Each structure stands twice: as structure tokens, then as C-alpha cells.
């Protein structure tokens, strides 16, 4: 586009461990059976009472039992969790969630009942476990009925601040939607989900949360890379929370099967509970709803890009109607800057590369509009199509806002997009580390940049400086900052350090913690949890662990897939 011949790259709590045992051991075959277990007691010792009062407004499957089937005419199926085989180990707890969302004291985790409650062995008072029915487009193709195949919605909790949160177990056994699955999750995926959902929260990215991680000695067989090499892994359960677990696929399945009354019921429920500013008597309420989801989805994906996060499986069944990050699987934080970075080895065609996420968001929103179409008039459909056409502009604007903040810019200048694009091109050419390039730009002084005196400790910036056009970019950058007359270098550094993290959950860090956790050593899970709670602050323990250093050579060999 200009003198350097490139185009703008727009990506279109401390832990307490506890172990409990059970003299009446559940056999391995029983623990994964379809049998509905009878809970002889609930978690009455834990002061947390759940409710289904709001969810009762939605239709429930008339057929009972966890056996696999095609489900019709409902939003949920009642489904009891299948307890994990004991002994159980409480490997991690988010004390932030415990205290600030669930109003529980830290002492509760010393109670053995707590471990059973958060792993599905017993139910919280008021809980009626449900599995949600949904469908979805997976890798671009309609996959039909999907649903919660290994998750149970326990109910909702309203905390002292008046916030309502839905509690869900993941890895808690079979449901009517399990298809050929066993309803279980394993340690490696559960550690990753627990850590990343909490890490994303402290990065400021809208996300589901995670309360706890419980591990079992129960054997679960997986084929991690779909090559016929099955391995035995240990089962695990994460208790996660969100304001809502409804996703685009929740509406798609109802529209596809022609269940328009149920579709309208669910849509009205979602708007009443989570889009309160939309008037229930507004004849264009579905158009307004769609506009909100388009806007917030664009903002979410731009936020992902600003921290180098690739979701890995951007199917419509993994896209929240509330535009929060859900369903952590083969995600990855980009290290060397590469628009074609694909974290998921199951994604052979690179459909969900980091550089494609914005376009995939557009595809998913198109599928949402198709699901809404039976409820829209021709004029409303036309309005909604126009709203969808505005998605790229919304995304681009938010992308620029976030990246200008990452560079410490104040105000707007016409040349800002060029300065951003120039830097990203240099990063792409040199393979500079995404996270640490921006962080080290936050740490370096303008005088050091001007003199070209970049210390070896600023390793990412040093890699970037090897580019033949690096000095050209520095001059543009310094000129832009010099026009902020009332701004000091210290103020710029402080501002940038507040938006450019020093630590993100790199795959090698998660893998190191997983390998230890498999041996019942949760020290690195705890260290990562502590580190990622304050990702913008330099921390001595994290530095000693190498979390801000160049990734180790073995990290390049790591692969993650959809198998979990």
C-alpha cells in the first residue's frame, strides 16, 4: 500500500489440594454407565443454594434418562451427573470466584463435601441438573444435534451483589447428547480450561469463569491426535460459571427443526434476562438483539486479537450469544507473530487460524441471522442484513482502538493505521514474539529507542530490530508520540504496561503444569494461577520460571487437538 509494500494486517488465587476416599469404591464400568445414580444426600453443609426459577420458563425434555437419543421440542434434558471414581483430588480453586462470585469463605475448601459438590458426586441444595440441547456448524458444515455431551448445568446462584451466575460441571458424565463420547474430560484439557478462563478474565477479556478443578484416578481412554494411538488418562471435572451458556447453536437447532414456538420462547427468554435494554414490546426487538450480538461479537474477537489469543474451534456451537469466550479446547496464545498460526492440529485446513477469526465471526453471525430469519418480516430481514454488512467496520474500529492503546497513542491521527500495520509487518517478517514485543515497547524508554540501544534482555524487541526497516518504523513511532506535547515518557510506559501483559498462558507453560499435575504435583498449576492473576505486573517467581523469557526449544514440538 505504501513505500514498504505491505497491506494492513487486520486479523479479517492460591490453591489448596485435598484428597477424599470412599470405602465403597465405584467400579470403572459403573462410573461411566448410563445409569442414573441416586443421590442420597445433597451438599447441605456448603452454604450455597441454587435455583432454577428462571430456567423453569424453558421447556424440558419429556423423556427421562441419560441414554443417547434425538431430542425434540425442548431446550434442556434432565440429566444426573455420574460421579467420578474416588479418591478425588481438589487440584485447584479460584479464590476470586469463591469469594467474589459465590460469596463463600476460603475455609469451605477444607470440607470434603466441597470436593464432592464441585465434581458431581453430590448436588448443591436446589440443584436440578440439566443438559442443554443445541446444534451447530462445525468447520463450516451443519453438524445437526450436538448439545452438552459431558456437561451438566447445576442451576444458578444470585450473589450478594445481585449478579446471577449459572454453574456448570464439565466432564461429569454422559447425557442424552453424548453421542459416541464417554461424558468425561481428562487432566490435560481440564487444567488448560481452568487456567485459561481465569487468565482471560484478568486480561480483561469477556469470558466464562472456573471455580475448581477436581482430578480422579478413573481411567479415561483418548486418541489425542486421532491416529489410532489410544492412551489412558485420568478423568477430571471443572466447575465453570457464566451469566449464560446459550450460544448461536442454541437457536440454530430450533430453527433448523422448525420448532419456531420454542425458538421464540428461548429468544424472548435470553433477551428478557440478558438484554434488558431491549423493550419486550418492541416489534423490532429481534433486529435490535441481532445488532447487539453483531457489535459485541466484533468487539470480543478484536479483544482476542489484542492479546494474541486463538480460540482454535470457532464453531457456532462455541460462540456465546452474550459474546463471552466459552468452551476452551485447543486454544493457543500466538508466540512468533504469524497470521496463519493454527493452535488446533485437528484443523487441517487452517479454517480457524488466528488471522481468520474475524471472518469466521462474520460466518457465524450469518448463521445466527439464518436461525432468526423465520421470526423476521422481510423488512426486518433487510435491516438485519445491513447490520451484518457493518460488521467489518465495527471490528476494524475496535481493533484499531485496542492496538493504538497497545502502542501508547492518545487521540486519533490519520497515519495511525499505517504505523500499526508497519509494526505488524515487521513482526511477521522477523517472527518476533507477539506478547513480548508489545510489552518490551512498553518497558523501553524513548531515548533507548532513538539511540537504538536495545539491551539483550529485551529479546523480542531485539529480534524485531534485525529488520532492515526497523529504524524507519521507530522514527514514525517517535514522531507520533512527540506530538503528544503534555505526555511524559513515564506516563506512556505506565499506560502501555497496563494493557500489554507480561504473561499469558503459553502452551509450553500449560504443558509443564499438566505433566506435573499428572503426577499429583500441582505446584505449577498454583504458580500459573498466581502469575496469571496479575498478568501486567512483573513477578519474581514468574521470572525465575521463565514465563517472560524466550520459549524453550521443546515448546515448538507441542501440539493440541480437539481430543479432550
Amino acid at each position: 500500500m505504501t513505500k514498504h509494500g505491505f497491506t494492513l494486517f487486520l486479523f479479517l488465587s492460591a490453591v489448596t489440594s485435598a484428597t477424599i476416599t470412599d470405602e465403597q469404591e465405584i467400579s470403572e464400568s459403573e462410573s461411566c454407565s448410563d445409569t442414573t445414580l441416586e443421590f442420597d444426600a445433597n451438599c447441605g453443609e456448603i452454604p450455597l443454594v441454587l435455583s432454577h426459577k428462571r430456567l423453569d420458563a424453558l421447556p424440558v425434555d419429556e423423556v427421562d434418562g441419560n441414554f443417547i437419543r434425538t431430542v425434540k421440542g425442548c431446550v434442556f434434558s434432565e440429566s444426573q451427573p455420574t460421579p467420578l471414581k474416588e479418591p478425588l483430588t481438589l487440584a485447584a480453586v479460584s479464590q476470586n470466584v469463591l469469594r467474589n462470585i459465590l460469596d463463600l469463605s476460603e475455609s469451605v475448601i477444607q470440607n470434603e463435601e466441597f470436593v464432592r459438590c464441585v465434581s458431581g458426586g453430590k448436588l448443591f441444595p436446589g440443584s436440578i441438573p440439566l443438559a442443554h440441547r443445541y446444534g451447530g456448524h462445525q468447520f463450516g458444515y451443519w453438524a445437526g444435534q450436538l448439545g452438552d455431551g459431558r456437561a451438566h448445568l447445576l442451576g444458578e446462584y444470585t450473589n450478594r451483589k445481585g449478579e446471577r451466575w449459572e454453574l456448570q460441571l464439565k466432564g461429569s458424565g454422559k447425557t442424552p447428547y453424548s453421542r459416541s463420547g464417554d461424558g468425561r474430560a481428562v487432566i490435560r484439557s481440564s487444567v488448560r480450561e481452568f487456567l485459561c478462563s481465569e487468565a482471560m478474565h484478568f486480561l480483561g477479556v469477556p469470558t466464562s469463569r472456573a471455580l475448581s478443578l477436581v482430578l480422579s484416578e478413573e481411567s479415561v481412554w483418548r486418541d489425542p491426535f486421532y491416529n489410532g494411538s489410544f492412551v489412558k488418562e485420568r478423568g477430571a471435572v471443572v466447575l465453570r460459571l457464566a451469566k449464560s451458556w446459550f450460544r448461536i447453536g442454541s437457536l440454530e437447532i430450533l430453527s433448523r427443526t422448525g420448532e419456531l414456538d420454542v425458538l421464540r420462547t428461548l429468544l424472548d427468554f435470553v433477551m428478557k434476562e440478558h438484554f434488558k435494554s431491549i423493550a419486550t414490546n418492541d416489534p423490532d426487538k429481534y433486529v435490535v438483539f441481532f445488532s447487539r450480538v453483531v457489535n459485541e461479537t466484533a468487539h470480543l474477537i478484536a479483544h482476542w486479537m489484542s492479546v494474541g489469543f486463538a480460540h482454535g474451534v470457532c464453531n457456532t456451537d462455541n460462540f456465546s450469544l452474550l459474546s463471552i469466550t466459552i468452551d476452551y479446547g485447543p486454544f493457543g496464545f500466538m508466540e512468533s507473530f504469524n497470521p496463519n498460526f493454527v493452535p488446533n492440529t485437528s484443523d487441517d485446513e487452517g479454517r480457524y487460524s488466528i488471522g481468520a477469526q474475524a471472518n469466521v465471526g462474520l460466518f457465524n453471525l450469518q448463521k445466527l441471522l439464518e436461525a432468526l430469519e423465520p421470526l423476521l418480516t422481510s423488512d426486518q430481514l433487510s435491516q438485519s442484513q445491513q447490520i451484518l454488512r457493518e460488521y467489518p467496520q465495527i471490528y476494524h474500529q475496535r481493533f484499531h482502538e485496542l492496538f493504538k492503546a497497545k502502542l501508547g497513542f492518545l487521540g486519533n491521527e490519520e497515519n495511525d493505521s499505517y504505523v500499526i500495520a508497519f509494526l505488524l509487518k515487521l513482526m511477521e517478517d522477523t517472527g518476533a514474539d507477539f506478547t513480548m514485543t508489545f510489552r518490551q515497547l512498553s518497558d523501553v524508554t524513548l531515548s533507548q529507542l532513538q539511540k537504538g540501544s536495545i539491551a539483550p534482555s529485551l529479546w523480542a524487541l531485539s529480534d524485531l530490530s534485525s529488520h532492515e526497516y526497523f529504524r524507519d518504523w521507530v522514527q514514525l513511532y517517535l514522531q507520533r508520540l512527540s506530538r503528544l506535547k503534555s505526555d511524559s515518557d513515564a506516563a506512556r510506559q505506565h499506560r502501555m504496561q497496563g494493557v500489554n501483559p507480561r504473561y499469558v498462558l503459553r502452551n509450553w507453560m500449560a504443558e509443564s503444569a499438566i505433566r506435573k499435575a499428572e503426577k499429583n504435583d500441582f505446584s505449577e498449576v498454583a504458580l500459573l494461577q498466581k502469575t496469571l492473576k496479575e498478568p501486567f505486573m512483573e513477578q519474581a517467581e514468574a521470572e525465575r520460571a521463565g514465563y517472560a523469557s524466550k520459549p524453550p526449544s521443546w515448546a515448538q514440538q507441542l501440539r493440541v487437538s480437539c481430543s479432550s
Side-chain angles (χ1 to χ4, degrees):
M1 99 170 138
T2 58
K3 70 176 185 178
H4 298 299
F6 58 83
T7 56
L8 176 59
F9 173 55
L10 289 172
F11 302 86
L12 285 171
S13 95
V15 177
T16 300
S17 297
T19 301
I20 65 174
T21 59
D22 190 343
E23 294 179 359
Q24 292 183 322
E25 187 178 86
I26 303 172
S27 73
E28 194 166 312
S29 60
E30 288 174 333
S31 69
C32 289
S33 71
D34 286 343
T35 305
T36 299
L37 301 185
E38 182 177 341
F39 291 81
D40 56 3
N42 62 30
C43 297
E45 295 182 27
I46 309 301
L48 186 70
V49 178
L50 304 185
S51 169
H52 275 80
K53 185 176 180 180
R54 293 187 312 150
L55 297 173
D56 283 345
L58 299 173
V60 176
D61 187 6
E62 295 180 353
V63 181
D64 292 328
N66 285 352
F67 65 92
I68 314 304
R69 59 186 181 273
T70 299
V71 179
K72 296 284 188 180
C74 66
V75 175
F76 293 111
S77 296
E78 288 192 21
S79 177
Q80 295 286 353
T82 303
L84 283 169
K85 181 180 179 180
E86 298 185 2
L88 304 176
T89 302
L90 180 62
V93 172
S94 168
Q95 294 189 8
N96 180 274
V97 171
L98 194 74
R99 295 191 305 267
N100 297 338
I101 293 181
L102 297 179
D103 304 325
L104 294 172
S105 69
E106 296 174 18
S107 62
V108 74
I109 63 179
Q110 305 298 335
N111 190 331
E112 289 186 354
E113 290 295 281
F114 180 79
V115 183
R116 293 190 172 96
C117 293
V118 299
S119 62
K122 288 190 175 182
L123 299 179
F124 291 104
S127 175
I128 303 174
L130 301 172
H132 175 40
R133 172 192 176 212
Y134 54 83
H137 279 80
Q138 298 192 328
F139 293 91
Y141 298 95
W142 176 245
Q145 177 179 291
L146 299 170
D148 289 335
R150 53 177 174 167
H152 292 82
L153 175 61
L154 299 179
E156 67 173 19
Y157 175 70
T158 303
N159 64 24
R160 65 185 64 173
K161 293 178 283 189
E163 299 170 340
R164 289 184 291 206
W165 289 84
E166 294 180 2
L167 279 64
Q168 185 189 74
L169 298 176
K170 183 175 180 179
S172 45
K174 286 187 177 181
T175 77
Y177 309 101
S178 295
R179 295 181 289 173
S180 60
D182 57 15
R184 292 302 190 201
V186 296
I187 290 180
R188 57 187 162 85
S189 63
S190 300
V191 167
R192 285 166 56 83
E193 171 141 10
F194 176 86
L195 288 174
C196 197
S197 54
E198 289 302 281
M200 290 283 272
H201 168 73
F202 290 108
L203 285 171
V205 181
T207 180
S208 58
R209 303 294 303 277
L211 169 66
S212 57
L213 169 64
V214 175
L215 310 184
S216 168
E217 296 302 323
E218 181 173 316
S219 297
V220 178
W221 291 91
R222 289 291 184 269
D223 181 2
F225 299 107
Y226 303 101
N227 59 6
S229 298
F230 283 83
V231 295
K232 184 169 69 173
E233 304 185 55
R234 289 168 61 192
V237 168
V238 173
L239 194 155
R240 54 188 194 170
L241 306 87
K243 296 295 182 66
S244 171
W245 293 101
F246 292 124
R247 65 245 1 244
I248 291 176
S250 304
L251 303 179
E252 281 188 290
I253 188 71
L254 301 174
S255 183
R256 284 261 176 169
T257 55
E259 299 170 53
L260 301 188
D261 289 341
V262 181
L263 173 64
R264 188 176 287 104
T265 297
L266 176 56
L267 192 51
D268 289 347
F269 174 88
V270 170
M271 288 192 297
K272 176 185 175 183
E273 299 296 337
H274 304 290
F275 296 80
K276 295 183 183 296
S277 63
I278 302 177
T280 56
N281 60 352
D282 184 347
D284 292 325
K285 60 184 179 181
Y286 298 146
V287 177
V288 179
F289 164 78
F290 181 68
S291 177
R292 287 276 299 278
V293 177
V294 168
N295 187 77
E296 294 305 316
T297 297
H299 282 207
L300 175 65
I301 298 176
H303 213 150
W304 287 355
M305 311 312 285
S306 74
V307 295
F309 176 79
H311 184 281
V313 194
C314 296
N315 298 326
T316 58
D317 53 293
N318 293 333
F319 259 51
S320 163
L321 290 175
L322 272 59
S323 302
I324 61 173
T325 314
I326 60 172
D327 294 352
Y328 291 90
F331 65 83
F333 283 88
M334 177 171 58
E335 295 184 349
S336 295
F337 185 85
N338 177 9
N340 297 315
F341 168 61
V342 179
N344 180 6
T345 58
S346 303
D347 185 4
D348 296 329
E349 297 180 357
R351 176 180 176 82
Y352 297 143
S353 67
I354 192 167
Q357 288 186 138
N359 282 336
V360 169
L362 180 62
F363 174 89
N364 290 350
L365 290 167
Q366 176 61 51
K367 297 307 172 185
L368 173 60
L369 180 54
E370 290 175 12
L372 297 176
E373 186 172 351
L375 306 182
L376 304 176
T377 66
S378 58
D379 285 346
Q380 290 170 339
L381 177 60
S382 179
Q383 292 176 51
S384 299
Q385 290 169 337
Q386 178 56 40
I387 289 168
L388 192 59
R389 284 192 286 271
E390 294 168 1
Y391 166 88
Q393 180 181 349
I394 299 169
Y395 171 78
H396 293 163
Q397 180 177 343
R398 185 57 179 152
F399 179 96
H400 281 294
E401 289 171 353
L402 291 167
F403 275 79
K404 283 191 293 185
K406 288 175 74 67
L407 288 175
F409 294 169
L410 295 174
N412 296 300
E413 290 194 10
E414 184 178 353
N415 207 37
D416 286 347
S417 62
Y418 178 78
V419 178
I420 295 169
F422 196 166
L423 174 61
L424 294 178
K425 178 58 178 173
L426 299 187
M427 291 171 66
E428 182 179 358
D429 287 350
T430 59
D433 187 89
F434 179 83
T435 297
M436 292 308 293
T437 294
F438 282 101
R439 178 65 186 205
Q440 290 172 7
L441 276 173
S442 309
D443 297 336
V444 73
T445 67
L446 296 185
S447 175
Q448 289 172 318
L449 272 181
Q450 178 70 60
K451 295 175 182 178
S453 55
I454 298 174
S457 60
L458 301 177
W459 54 273
L461 207 51
S462 179
D463 288 345
L464 187 72
S465 68
S466 67
H467 200 288
E468 61 177 319
Y469 292 127
F470 177 69
R471 298 302 308 162
D472 293 342
W473 179 82
V474 167
Q475 290 307 309
L476 283 176
Y477 184 56
L478 294 176
Q479 289 169 14
R480 171 64 169 89
L481 293 174
S482 70
R483 290 191 286 275
L484 302 174
K485 300 299 184 183
S486 61
D487 196 34
S488 69
D489 199 17
R492 172 198 64 85
Q493 288 178 306
H494 179 74
R495 193 165 61 244
M496 291 175 65
Q497 288 167 357
V499 296
N500 290 310
R502 188 169 182 84
Y503 314 107
V504 294
L505 184 62
R506 298 170 184 264
N507 272 342
W508 74 265
M509 293 156 58
E511 179 65 20
S512 180
I514 290 165
R515 290 177 183 179
K516 291 180 180 178
E518 289 172 338
K519 300 175 182 178
N520 288 325
D521 177 357
F522 309 116
S523 59
E524 191 150 15
V525 172
L527 176 57
L528 282 171
Q529 190 179 354
K530 178 183 177 182
T531 299
L532 297 169
K533 189 177 179 180
E534 296 183 303
F536 303 101
M537 182 181 297
E538 185 171 338
Q539 302 167 49
E541 284 185 281
E543 295 299 304
R544 286 194 293 271
Y547 293 164
S549 302
K550 277 192 174 184
S553 57
W554 60 265
Q556 298 179 9
Q557 310 304 318
L558 290 177
R559 299 291 183 269
V560 291
S561 73
C562 290
S563 171
S564 57

